[in-house]
């Protein structure tokens, strides 16, 4: 008869990390409402009071998971926007988002689901993309001035660009075709070739712009 291996005792920090990892998986798989403290504790092989001791409850655990994913995604995209030609920055930002979707499916599912209405709106995918758009706005503002375009519309264009990449990224998460690099190439093709031919005073065919 084989002897049972003794359980390795975790430190408080190790246990907290384990619970965050398990919570992230469960929130992604089942959603916020369908996940319970009992389920988190059972998967971690601890008692419910251990989860309450670290996070105060399910909402506290969810808030920590969301905060980590917000920072992780924002750090990736911010790093992609630090240096390079504007077209390179666009490519790097698109690939950074697609890389995150591919490499962190649980994290992206948690962010994009908007599952817990009791939490602050800062913990949503749209809020992360809004932060990214503000960074892009500063980059576009300088580019607009260089090209003789009105920089007051840089915010509008940054929201349009980031929104396009974000929506395509959400679609690609399910489709997974074509390849990630091809998706980024087509996004940049549309965005860059559009930006490179901007009219100084754009108009509409069907309605007067005032």
């Amino acid at each position: 008869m084989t002897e049972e291996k003794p359980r390795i005792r975790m430190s408080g920090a190790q246990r907290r990390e384990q619970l965050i990892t398990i919570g992230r998986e469960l929130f992604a798989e089942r959603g916020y409402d369908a996940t319970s403290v009992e389920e988190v504790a059972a998967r971690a092989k601890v008692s419910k009071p251990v989860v309450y001791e670290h996070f105060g409850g399910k909402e506290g655990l969810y808030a920590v998971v969301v905060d980590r994913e917000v920072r992780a995604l924002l750090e990736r995209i911010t790093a992609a926007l630090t240096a390079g030609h504007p077209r390179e920055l666009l490519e790097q930002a698109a690939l950074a988002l697609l890389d995150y979707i591919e490499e962190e499916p649980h994290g992206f599912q948690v962010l994009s689901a908007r599952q817990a209405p009791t939490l602050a709106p800062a913990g949503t995918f749209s809020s992360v993309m809004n932060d990214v758009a503000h960074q892009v706005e500063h980059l576009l503002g300088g580019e607009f001035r260089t090209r003789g375009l009105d920089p007051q519309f840089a915010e509008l264009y940054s929201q349009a660009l980031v929104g396009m990449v974000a929506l395509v990224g959400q679609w690609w998460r399910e489709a997974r075709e074509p390849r990630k690099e091809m998706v980024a190439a087509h996004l940049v093709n549309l965005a860059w070739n559009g930006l490179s031919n901007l009219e100084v005073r754009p108009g509409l065919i069907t309605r007067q712009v005032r």
Side-chain angles (χ1 to χ4, degrees), residues 14 27 48 50 71 80 98 109 155 158 173 181 191 193:
Q14 290 171 326
F27 291 133
K48 284 168 52 179
V50 174
R71 286 189 284 112
L98 295 173
Q109 176 62 25
E155 181 179 6
S158 69
R173 175 182 174 271
E181 291 76 14
N193 287 318

Side-chain angles (χ1 to χ4, degrees), residues 96-176:
L97 175 59
L98 295 173
D99 283 341
Y100 175 79
I101 292 171
E102 182 177 62
E103 296 166 11
E104 306 292 347
H106 285 150
F108 185 73
Q109 176 62 25
V110 169
L111 279 186
S112 59
R114 305 178 186 177
Q115 301 165 70
T118 57
L119 297 179
T124 65
F125 180 64
S126 61
S127 73
V128 180
M129 291 298 98
N130 194 51
D131 287 342
V132 173
H134 285 310
Q135 296 182 50
V136 174
E137 179 186 346
H138 293 302
L139 296 170
L140 283 182
E143 190 71 12
F144 274 30
R145 291 184 186 91
T146 300
R147 297 186 180 205
L149 301 169
D150 191 342
Q152 73 170 315
F153 294 109
E155 181 179 6
L156 187 157
Y157 281 89
S158 69
Q159 291 287 344
L161 283 172
V162 172
M164 177 181 71
V165 174
L167 283 174
V168 171
Q170 289 179 303
W171 162 80
W172 182 74
R173 175 182 174 271
E174 301 297 331
R176 289 306 169 114

Side-chain angles (χ1 to χ4, degrees), residues 185-197:
H186 281 280
L187 281 168
V188 174
N189 183 38
L190 174 60
W192 181 254
N193 287 318
L195 285 171
S196 62
N197 293 290

